[in-house]
Amino acid sequence: MATQMGSEEGFKATIAEYLESLPTQFCRRVFSNPAACLAIFRLLSTVGKQLVMSMLYLETAIKLQDIYQWAKVEHQPLVRSKVHQLRKLQILAEERGTVSLNPVFREQLRNALTGGGDFSSFGIPFTGSTGNRGVSKKWLASYANDRWEAILHFMVGHSADAEPPSESVRGILRMSRLMEDSEDGMKITNSGFQFLLQDPGSQVWTVLLQYLRLAEMQDMDVVEVLNFMFQLVSLQLGRPYSTEALTRNQQKMLSELCSFGLLYQDNVGAPQFYPTHLITSLSSSGASHSGPSGVDNAAAAASGTGRSAIPTGSKATGELAKPSSQGFIILETNCRMYAYTNSALQIAILNLFVHLVNRFPNFITGALTRDSIRRALMRGITADQIITFLTTHAHPQMQGRTPVLPITVTDQIRLWEQERNRLRPTAAYFYKDFGQKQEYERMFKYAQDIGVIIWASNEKRQLVVTRQGHAKIAELVKSQRANAAKQ
């Protein structure tokens, strides 16, 4: 059963927001899948997981006040917020001051943890012959990194030797407004620049969420697509899985996700496929608290050691992506930067906000300047994103410091941002030329009561209100005129 559940303006930016927007009957279908329940559980915060596990085997409801007592007084507000989030996700149900786990979610999460229920929801391992070609974890990591880098190279306009992305990839980049069509071909947007500075896990979740939006536009069964997505997240890296039981929509999704390097298939119609580290790590224990899904550095390691999807060295080495602890950026207090890298992609990303000066084999120098930061700000990149990127990729010699980056540099970046953000445009409505003082005072008091006033001058009888406030004030004026006409 297909449905349209979102619009371009209202599309959810995180997987949690997307799940919160699902109607109850759709959530029930998602929760009927053990793999989906386990993936959602893994994406919860530590406190959220603790709450779920504490109630997993309780058959009766428990009082909210009793749950709050599980934590010390100073931590109870945190527990309250997590309970509220679980209710929004429809994992918890509240009734008359008591809460209990959603019975469908509780049953299927139990099955996922104990091996009961429909275990095929975790994928059917392929038992046939895979041929003479050996598909190892190391090879899958190289394949996934090459595919993902090709897309990022295409976005920054430096394709290098990478294979250009397929039409389906370009379609998703266009639909998500990361790129747009121009006279000279596709070009990156402000959102695309922000996308480049995200960690790889956040980037992958952005792509998956946009695929959900694409599924809605094509009248596909969104729950089927969502459950298959959670199934892929739960697969084991390096193991082949059968395509025999996949539906037509899932076969189509499989082919398109291969273009992003999230999956590998020998050829279209092959009886088996392999998940890569880009998708299997999205619900890992270390991927729970940042990024669009609530995941933290979610492109973690192909072999469980926390690895970045973008290699810090040459692609020709064929090695797994370097651990995030092996950063390559050194930043001095005078804003000079040194980067130990020969990756064309990393250099192109640095060029977004750094004034590059010299380039040597495996080494470049540059500086953070007012003009380079302002250029990045004009492209939609924020100071916090720049600081986060520099911190994440800081050299090991800097990682041991607290804070990692010099305070003088981070403060200067934020000051340059404040220079540009001194004026902020706000959509508003301007009211003037009131016939009577009482009319102005009545409207001013109403606008003040509902908190929509941006600016007002009682002497000139002028009023500026928010866009939302204008709609409410228009209703008030309309009702007053209707009452006056009746009299």
Side-chain angles (χ1 to χ4, degrees), residues 37-58:
C37 292
L38 184 59
I40 294 171
F41 173 76
R42 286 174 170 172
L43 291 173
L44 296 176
S45 65
T46 303
V47 176
K49 291 177 183 175
Q50 183 65 38
L51 291 173
V52 171
M53 289 304 298
S54 297
M55 291 185 282
L56 186 59
Y57 289 94
L58 293 179

Side-chain angles (χ1 to χ4, degrees), residues 283-348:
S283 64
S284 61
S285 58
S288 309
H289 306 296
S290 74
S293 56
V295 272
D296 219 1
N297 201 18
S303 56
T305 55
R307 304 178 186 272
S308 168
I310 302 178
T312 58
S314 171
K315 293 191 297 179
T317 60
E319 61 186 7
L320 295 178
K322 301 293 184 183
S324 59
S325 61
Q326 299 297 318
F328 61 97
I329 297 174
I330 291 180
L331 194 61
E332 293 183 339
T333 55
N334 57 6
C335 293
R336 289 183 180 178
M337 186 216 68
Y338 308 92
Y340 294 87
T341 180
N342 62 358
S343 167
L345 175 60
Q346 289 178 339
I347 294 173

Side-chain angles (χ1 to χ4, degrees), residues 7-27:
S7 64
E8 190 166 310
E9 294 76 13
F11 186 77
K12 305 305 179 183
T14 73
I15 191 66
E17 290 178 356
Y18 192 89
L19 291 171
E20 290 170 7
S21 69
L22 289 177
T24 302
Q25 64 270 25
F26 279 69
C27 266

Side-chain angles (χ1 to χ4, degrees), residues 426-467 469-474 476-477 480:
T426 302
Y429 285 83
F430 181 40
Y431 289 81
K432 63 178 182 177
D433 299 333
F434 287 90
Q436 298 179 356
K437 181 179 180 181
Q438 294 81 356
E439 183 183 2
Y440 166 79
E441 290 178 345
R442 183 167 56 250
M443 188 171 294
F444 173 82
K445 186 178 184 305
Y446 177 73
Q448 190 177 45
D449 291 341
I450 62 177
V452 297
I453 295 179
I454 297 177
W455 175 88
S457 173
N458 293 331
E459 295 178 357
K460 298 180 181 180
R461 298 180 188 174
Q462 294 177 346
L463 189 65
V464 178
V465 300
T466 64
R467 179 183 295 174
H470 169 70
K472 297 180 180 179
I473 291 175
L476 174 67
V477 173
Q480 288 179 346

